[in-house]
Amino acid sequence: MNPAGRWKEILRPYYLRWIYFPLAPGAEPPAFRLCWRHPFEKLGAGRSAGGPLEAFAGPSHAPDVILYPMTDWHTRIQRSQQLARAFAALGHRVLYLNPHLGRQFDTVPLFDREHRVSCLAGNIAELHVRLPREPVFHHRRLSAAEARIVAAAIERLTERIGPRPALQLVSFPVWMETAGWLRREHGFPVIYDCHDLLEGFPNVAPGLLEAEQDALAAADLVLFSSRFLAEHWLERRPEIEAKMLLVRNAADAWSAGPWLMRVLRNLCLDRVRQRSRRVECPLNEEVAVSDADAAPDAADERRRAVLLWDAVAGLTPLQRGAVVLRYRHDLPYVEIAEQLGKSVDHVGVLLHQALNVLRASPALRAEVLS
């Protein structure tokens, strides 16, 4: 950024609040006011009884979802809100970041540097991170220092509500450095949700268009909202085919349903299994790794379930999704193809490859397939 741009960012928070918004009624975006209608508290404060986070809880086995959106929660309902509500309905705590990075605050940074958090609904919390320059999120990439501030705020929030394994769903490339840092530090996998052709938006900075290509390469899993977007990026980045899924938009509920939640959750558990005290088996039964009190037969079954889960977790996301849909949900090939955005023949190939991998597992041959 050139010196003029830096000075513009430094002065903008004061100019907007002290001059522009007071002299131009209606110029302030409504979302800047609407977000504070929900109960909120300062993130740096200790946990208080009766505060907005008091009721923010979900089942202990469900990983948190950190959702980095492209849109403000308080504008019209779009894909990011749909995803957040779908995860929350399945018992996950959702940490939804406000994308304005301080511009929504009514005070200038000089007098109030505290991050805030509010409870939107049920298991959904909104994190209001305050960056000193309050950058417009679609104008430039965050600096390393800014990305670290966002990551530290997320860490602080998870400490407040009780840390759990988490997966990160990134809907705009400006967040990728933060997500990458948390993946390195905590093992939280990164899913990039490609739901718009960003080059069609004139206000998205060229640097962010370049950052999206980095995001597609770096993500553990890539979601596409349409076949057009998937084909568009496959022509440019064919290597992402092994880690992509098609998840179409839905008006009222996330049409992908629980099967994709399972795929994403498995991806999360792949990353954090070494930190976890419990392991999920393919039949969604939570079992203890060591259970001395179990009957011998039950203990054998549980050991085999853990071995099978370890083998399934080693499959690629597409192979794992095909296996879950076929052998857990008993879907026909045609429906699996529609869910995964692949041809029926490709589904057959995925299942064939997956079964070959499972059959080749020495542990499974000895314990499960014998």
Side-chain angles (χ1 to χ4, degrees):
M1 180 181 293
N2 58 43
R6 284 196 296 271
W7 275 109
K8 181 179 179 180
E9 276 198 349
I10 292 171
L11 296 175
R12 182 174 54 208
Y14 304 90
Y15 168 75
L16 289 178
R17 293 177 179 87
W18 291 351
I19 300 175
Y20 183 63
F21 289 157
L23 295 179
E28 184 178 14
F32 288 7
R33 297 287 183 184
L34 291 174
C35 66
W36 304 122
R37 293 185 179 182
H38 299 272
F40 67 88
E41 59 185 272
K42 292 184 177 181
L43 186 59
R47 190 166 186 172
S48 58
L53 294 182
E54 186 68 21
F56 187 65
S60 60
H61 65 275
D64 288 340
V65 177
I66 304 169
L67 206 157
Y68 304 87
M70 182 180 178
T71 54
D72 188 304
W73 180 275
H74 309 280
T75 56
R76 65 186 186 276
I77 300 299
Q78 297 189 50
R79 181 177 173 93
S80 292
Q81 293 97 319
Q82 293 169 0
L83 293 173
R85 287 171 171 167
F87 275 112
L90 291 171
H92 297 263
R93 300 188 308 192
V94 179
L95 316 181
Y96 192 100
L97 274 80
N98 187 292
H100 297 302
L101 300 172
R103 293 193 301 137
Q104 73 275 28
F105 285 66
D106 54 2
T107 56
V108 294
L110 181 64
F111 302 139
D112 182 8
R113 296 180 179 272
E114 289 272 11
H115 310 307
R116 299 178 186 176
V117 59
S118 59
C119 187
L120 296 176
N123 289 344
I124 305 174
E126 183 175 30
L127 178 58
H128 299 268
V129 177
R130 179 144 222 188
L131 295 183
R133 293 188 182 178
E134 301 181 358
V136 179
F137 70 95
H138 52 80
H139 281 186
R140 65 170 175 84
R141 303 174 79 155
L142 298 183
S143 68
E146 289 170 331
R148 183 66 186 91
I149 290 173
V150 178
I154 294 171
E155 290 176 318
R156 176 59 178 152
L157 176 55
T158 59
E159 290 172 3
R160 286 279 307 275
I161 62 178
R164 294 180 187 170
L167 60 88
Q168 303 181 88
L169 189 61
V170 180
S171 296
F172 196 65
V174 73
W175 306 108
M176 277 302 294
E177 185 156 356
T178 293
W181 196 94
L182 290 173
R183 178 171 60 183
R184 290 190 298 272
E185 292 297 312
H186 303 285
F188 299 162
V190 176
I191 300 98
Y192 186 71
D193 181 34
C194 182
H195 57 85
D196 270 311
L197 190 62
L198 296 185
E199 60 195 58
F201 292 83
N203 59 347
V204 175
L208 290 171
L209 299 181
E210 297 172 2
E212 183 168 45
Q213 298 204 36
D214 297 337
L216 292 167
D220 298 291
L221 186 70
V222 178
L223 308 182
F224 288 105
S225 63
S226 69
R227 194 176 299 276
F228 165 78
L229 280 173
E231 292 173 352
H232 171 84
W233 280 111
L234 278 173
E235 290 180 2
R236 293 158 177 78
R237 306 298 295 258
E239 70 276 10
I240 67 175
E241 183 174 9
K243 60 176 183 179
M244 58 166 279
L245 291 174
L246 181 64
V247 181
R248 301 183 188 278
N249 289 326
D252 299 314
W254 194 11
S255 60
W259 71 269
L260 184 55
M261 300 297 186
R262 180 184 296 275
V263 172
L264 299 184
R265 185 180 177 189
N266 290 351
L267 181 64
C268 176
L269 291 174
D270 287 350
R271 287 273 182 180
V272 301
R273 188 187 298 112
Q274 68 273 21
R275 295 184 175 91
S276 179
R277 295 180 180 178
R278 303 182 71 83
V279 179
E280 182 189 356
C281 74
L283 297 182
N284 200 27
E285 177 187 3
E286 193 170 274
V287 297
V289 174
S290 60
D291 191 351
D293 297 330
D297 289 345
D300 287 343
E301 288 301 317
R302 291 188 174 191
R303 185 181 68 254
R304 291 174 179 175
V306 170
L307 289 171
L308 180 58
W309 159 243
D310 284 341
V312 172
L315 301 173
T316 68
L318 278 176
Q319 291 171 348
R320 188 186 305 135
V323 167
V324 169
L325 291 172
R326 179 60 178 164
Y327 299 108
R328 175 67 179 93
H329 297 286
D330 199 28
L331 293 185
Y333 279 34
V334 172
E335 292 187 28
I336 298 173
E338 176 63 23
Q339 295 279 24
L340 297 182
K342 301 295 180 182
S343 67
V344 172
D345 289 342
H346 196 165
V347 169
V349 171
L350 288 171
L351 289 171
H352 178 74
Q353 292 172 340
L355 292 177
N356 281 343
V357 172
L358 296 177
R359 291 190 186 103
S361 168
L364 284 183
R365 282 204 304 269
E367 294 287 344
V368 179
L369 302 179
S370 59

